[in-house]
Amino acid sequence: MSKQPARSKLSTLQQVYFLIPAHLVDKVARSYGVADKARSFSPWSHVVVMMYAHLAHSIGLNFYRR
C-alpha cells in the first residue's frame, strides 16, 4: 500500500505566509519607519506581494499589455 501525501486546501503562498507572524511584520515596519511612509500598500500586503513575486519567479511586478 503506497502512502499518498495529504492534500491541502491552501495554496503554497498561504502556507508560507501563515508561518510569518503578522505582528512581527508591523513591528519591524514601525521600527524602520516604513509604516509611516506606506501610501497604498500596508507593510503586510507588501510582504505578501514580494513573496508571490519570488515564488512566481517574476522579473518584475509591472503588468505589460500589448
Side-chain angles (χ1 to χ4, degrees), residues 7-19 48 51-52 55:
R7 295 195 63 111
S8 176
K9 295 179 183 177
L10 302 176
S11 69
T12 303
L13 182 62
Q14 286 176 318
Q15 292 177 24
V16 171
Y17 77 60
F18 279 148
L19 296 174
V48 172
M51 287 191 315
Y52 172 78
L55 288 172

Side-chain angles (χ1 to χ4, degrees), residues 27-46:
K27 180 179 175 184
V28 171
R30 280 193 308 273
S31 70
Y32 282 98
V34 178
D36 299 331
K37 297 178 184 178
R39 289 184 270 167
S40 57
F41 282 105
S42 69
W44 178 250
S45 296
H46 186 78

